[in-house]
Amino acid sequence: MTSAWSITAAVNTPRAAFLDFPLGHTSGRPGRPDEQREIIRDALRLFESAGQSGTIVPLDFDWGSPWKDDPTKLVGNASARLDTPQYQSDADRRAAIERHGTTAACAACDPEDGPRE
Amino acid sequence: MNDTSGTGPVDYLELTRATYERLGYDAYRWTHNTDPVPLAPLPRPLSECRVALIASGGIYRVGQVAFTHKDDTSVRRIPTDVAIDELRAGHFAYDLTDARRDPNVVFPLEPLRRLVDDGTIGSLTSHALTFMGGIYSQRRVVAELIPRIERALDSMGADIALLVPV
């Protein structure tokens, strides 16, 4: 799936479904389970219908309001690229520390939870 | 295709180029693959396929180590029967508001479960795979990230994979 047509075209994927939604919504809008299911269903159908490599097919869903004039919707909220784990909350950090002992080196991460797959 | 006000797709390649230029950075060198890519046929009908969900966007489960924001090529394996309220999102490059409210906007696990229930697809792999994306080294993507994903897909017997990048 993609919401960035030009990037996907440059990568040249075998097949892609294009959803023209703002970044951070590649598979739908929040709190709309029926629409999300339809989006994924239509995307998966490309596995059966796409007959040529490099195909990008627009999905027929509308964000519902203009968003392309809003710069924050285009570039997101780019922040500093820190090289330590960045948790959604302190509670998450504590949960990971409780399980792994440390979050910095990740030496104790088990296969499902850390860099060592 | 630099249409940010009309109805056409936003050209993020051009948008990024312009942003870097404004900041005085060297131009980012996007991947441009020009070789023909094989279109692998479905091994069996979609309704019988085992589907793997692979998503960038920095999704992790509570208890897992979160991703770093700098060239993190690690992968998290998330059980596909996980409770959605155990999922978290961390990323440096997109607005996380909606992903934190409803992870399905970048990690469509619940829609896929419903598509199993209604027979559109056969099943899901035991785990979905998530990673960070935003890895500036293409060499490290090829040498580190992709082999991890390939090994995981092989071990889970995936027929097809749905890639959901942010």
Side-chain angles (χ1 to χ4, degrees), chain A residues 1-15 18 20-37 40-41 43-45 47-48 50-54 63 67-70 72-89 91-93 95-96 99-100 102-103 106 109 111-117, chain B residues 1 3-13 15 19 30-42 45-47 51 60 62-71 74-77 79 87-96 98-102 104-108 111-112 114-115 118 120-121 127 134-136 148 151 160-166:
Chain A
M1 303 189 68
T2 178
S3 290
W5 186 297
S6 61
I7 296 174
T8 298
V11 170
N12 192 20
T13 57
R15 47 175 93 70
F18 173 70
D20 200 5
F21 283 5
L23 288 184
H25 307 86
T26 314
S27 50
R29 291 184 282 184
R32 295 171 183 259
D34 290 342
E35 182 183 74
Q36 292 168 359
R37 186 187 67 86
I40 301 304
R41 179 200 62 199
L44 289 169
R45 283 187 174 157
F47 279 107
E48 295 181 316
Q52 188 176 348
S53 181
W63 181 254
W67 58 272
K68 295 178 184 177
D69 285 334
D70 180 352
T72 65
K73 288 268 194 301
L74 297 181
V75 299
N77 58 346
S79 56
R81 299 180 67 232
L82 303 172
D83 62 0
T84 53
Q86 299 299 304
Y87 292 90
Q88 181 171 325
S89 69
D92 292 359
R93 184 188 311 277
R99 186 161 171 176
H100 300 289
T102 177
T103 60
C106 235
C109 294
E112 292 190 6
D113 295 335
R116 296 184 181 182
E117 80 283 10
Chain B
M1 203 172 65
D3 182 355
T4 59
S5 58
T7 57
V10 175
D11 186 350
Y12 289 103
L13 290 179
L15 204 62
T19 301
W30 291 92
T31 294
H32 280 273
N33 295 321
T34 53
D35 293 340
V37 181
L39 188 72
L42 273 186
L46 192 57
S47 60
V51 180
Y60 65 94
V62 172
Q64 291 182 328
V65 174
F67 295 96
T68 80
H69 286 187
K70 191 167 187 181
D71 296 331
S74 65
V75 173
R76 301 292 175 275
R77 298 171 72 245
L87 298 177
R88 300 290 185 269
H91 206 281
F92 67 93
Y94 73 94
D95 184 340
L96 292 159
D98 286 344
R100 288 178 172 177
R101 192 194 321 168
D102 179 359
N104 293 294
V105 303
V106 291
F107 185 70
L112 283 166
R114 293 180 68 188
L115 292 168
D118 72 16
T120 303
I121 55 178
H127 292 74
I135 302 159
Y136 284 17
R148 287 183 175 127
R151 280 195 293 274
I160 58 176
L162 179 67
L163 276 62
V164 184
V166 177

Side-chain angles (χ1 to χ4, degrees), chain B residues 15-66:
Chain B
L15 204 62
T16 305
R17 189 201 63 75
T19 301
Y20 275 42
E21 186 174 276
R22 193 169 63 248
L23 295 172
Y25 296 164
D26 292 337
Y28 181 72
R29 289 161 62 184
W30 291 92
T31 294
H32 280 273
N33 295 321
T34 53
D35 293 340
V37 181
L39 188 72
L42 273 186
R44 50 186 57 82
L46 192 57
S47 60
E48 298 174 15
C49 280
R50 183 180 296 167
V51 180
L53 170 60
I54 306 174
S56 69
I59 299 294
Y60 65 94
R61 182 188 190 184
V62 172
Q64 291 182 328
V65 174

